[in-house]
Amino acid sequence: MDLRSLMSLDDYERLEVIQDVQSGLTAIIAIHNTKLGPALGGCRMWNYPSVEDAVKDAVRLARGMTYKSAMAELPFGGGKAVIIGDPARHKNERLFRALGQFIDRLQGEYVTGMDVGTTSTDMDWVAKETRHVTDVSGSLGAYGTFTADMTAYGVFLGMRASLKKVDGSESLSGKVVAVQGLGKVGMFLCHYLALSGAKLVVSDLNEELVQKAVQQYGARAVSVQQITQELCDIYSPCALGGIINDKTIPGFQCKIIAGAANNQLAEDRHGDELHRRGIFYAPDYVLNAGGIIVTAAELNNNSPSYARSCVERIYGTVVKVFDYADQHAVSNAKAANQLTEQLLSV
């Protein structure tokens, strides 16, 4: 595996592939940019098919965290840790403590926390070896419901801003919203949408979650294969990334794409392709910043109400992106990237 082919050495500051035989740890830490502050990004545990796949994911996620922090006006850069393994079978204290030991050697350059496949208990183990960790038991971020709630709330605000731009009204009443992925964030998003009068179409691999959305929010269920082709006002991807790609784009029947998933565009060019097709894309890392805003609030000893007030600024940030896109005749995706790059170049 040629690591140089997986990341631009001029763009990323650090890439570490870690192996600890005693604990069974194989992990990657990617640090994209620390110009605005220490690299902040959670630790994901996933059963990647190969180290190369794990590196690719870490690199993409780290860059996304840099852009997310910058657009949310947070004093942090972007990084990510990924552990190769099945979180249901391969977790143990020694593994996470080994990761903590390595993070501690970075001397604050990278701060980790919870992500897909990890919990506050795992972060407690990391914290036995380093102070550069968030989401430990008892912390604001450890209450996954609050973090998920705020992430969903930011996406909801981004939807309203998108509708205002497209339809002239931010009202979701009667609008059809197709939510793909009903984890904590997706379910909170359904709650906000249902309260606003939206008509929900949902899909998830977990049938129990689908039925919960049907019963609680009056949603209509479709298959995971059908959801991307559903006729709707807003398509909201809230599962894993890369869902906007060469295969899915021709089948989209939505006016707006606005969701919580990270790295929704399989490639940057897909943002321009959506623009050419007249599909209004709300850049993912602008909308889904609620989680990192909560983490930043925790690190600064701020209150939940303060964190929520910061999340409410997402509406204005989204509008700023849309205005920039209009002024410079570029796609929303490109506008968000250019605005972020301006912040990083100051």
Side-chain angles (χ1 to χ4, degrees):
M1 179 177 61
D2 180 8
L3 294 183
R4 288 178 179 270
S5 68
L6 297 177
M7 62 183 288
S8 166
L9 296 183
D10 293 331
D11 193 18
Y12 286 76
E13 293 181 8
R14 189 167 193 152
L15 177 68
E16 301 283 353
V17 180
I18 308 159
Q19 187 169 20
D20 182 75
V21 177
Q22 289 186 336
S23 66
L25 173 69
T26 302
I28 291 88
I29 293 179
I31 295 176
H32 175 250
N33 187 295
T34 57
K35 184 164 187 176
L36 299 180
L40 181 61
C43 173
R44 174 170 296 193
M45 187 170 187
W46 194 257
N47 203 18
Y48 295 96
S50 68
V51 173
E52 182 175 349
D53 287 310
V55 170
K56 287 179 179 178
D57 200 29
V59 164
R60 282 172 56 84
L61 290 166
R63 179 177 181 268
M65 294 305 294
T66 296
Y67 280 47
K68 190 180 301 189
S69 289
M71 286 299 284
E73 300 180 358
L74 300 176
F76 294 100
K80 208 74 175 181
V82 301
I83 297 173
I84 300 174
D86 183 345
R89 297 172 51 230
H90 299 147
K91 285 186 180 182
N92 61 73
E93 181 175 350
R94 287 198 303 171
L95 183 146
F96 282 95
R97 291 187 69 166
L99 178 67
Q101 289 169 9
F102 189 87
I103 290 172
D104 199 58
R105 290 201 291 271
L106 297 177
Q107 298 181 324
E109 188 178 350
Y110 168 64
V111 181
T112 198
M114 290 193 301
D115 200 280
V116 175
T118 57
T119 67
S120 58
T121 298
D122 304 326
M123 296 306 106
D124 290 345
W125 288 334
V126 172
K128 290 185 177 182
E129 303 294 340
T130 183
R131 62 185 178 87
H132 305 299
V133 57
T134 66
D135 304 332
V136 296
S137 295
S139 67
L140 184 60
Y143 297 105
T145 53
F146 182 67
T147 301
D149 185 359
M150 290 300 94
T151 303
Y153 184 47
V155 174
F156 174 72
L157 294 174
M159 286 183 177
R160 288 172 50 189
S162 300
L163 278 170
K164 179 73 172 177
K165 185 71 175 179
V166 173
D167 287 347
S169 170
E170 65 181 35
S171 173
L172 280 147
S173 180
K175 300 296 184 183
V176 178
V177 183
V179 180
Q180 180 183 32
L182 297 171
K184 289 181 179 178
V185 175
M187 202 63 82
F188 271 113
L189 181 59
C190 286
H191 171 74
Y192 283 111
L193 291 168
L195 285 178
S196 70
K199 299 177 181 178
L200 295 174
V201 182
V202 299
S203 73
D204 195 280
L205 292 172
N206 186 325
E207 186 59 28
E208 289 185 10
L209 294 176
V210 171
Q211 290 308 310
K212 180 180 178 181
V214 169
Q215 293 167 10
Q216 290 191 1
Y217 305 120
R220 177 168 61 87
V222 298
S223 69
V224 293
Q225 293 78 24
Q226 176 63 28
I227 192 78
T228 59
Q229 302 174 45
E230 195 67 24
L231 181 62
C232 58
D233 295 286
I234 303 174
Y235 164 58
S236 184
C238 296
L240 295 177
I243 192 62
I244 301 172
N245 54 57
D246 291 332
K247 291 183 179 179
T248 59
I249 288 176
F252 286 141
Q253 297 192 77
C254 56
K255 295 180 183 178
I256 296 167
I257 297 179
N262 287 313
N263 298 326
Q264 292 168 26
L265 303 174
E267 299 178 36
D268 285 346
R269 64 182 176 85
H270 291 128
D272 292 337
E273 180 62 21
L274 291 176
H275 182 66
R276 282 192 292 270
R277 290 173 178 261
I279 299 173
F280 197 81
Y281 173 64
D284 50 22
Y285 61 82
V286 182
L287 266 63
N288 68 14
I292 197 170
I293 289 171
V294 170
T295 298
E298 175 193 329
L299 290 171
N300 291 323
N301 296 314
N302 296 128
S303 67
S305 60
Y306 175 83
R308 185 181 180 88
S309 69
C310 291
V311 172
E312 289 172 347
R313 296 204 298 258
I314 287 175
Y315 187 106
T317 304
V318 173
V319 171
K320 182 180 179 181
V321 171
F322 297 160
D323 288 345
Y324 182 98
D326 285 346
Q327 292 165 9
H328 295 82
V330 296
S331 68
N332 291 338
K334 189 165 288 182
N337 288 346
Q338 290 179 2
L339 281 169
T340 304
E341 286 152 12
Q342 289 175 15
L343 291 170
L344 295 173
S345 65
V346 174

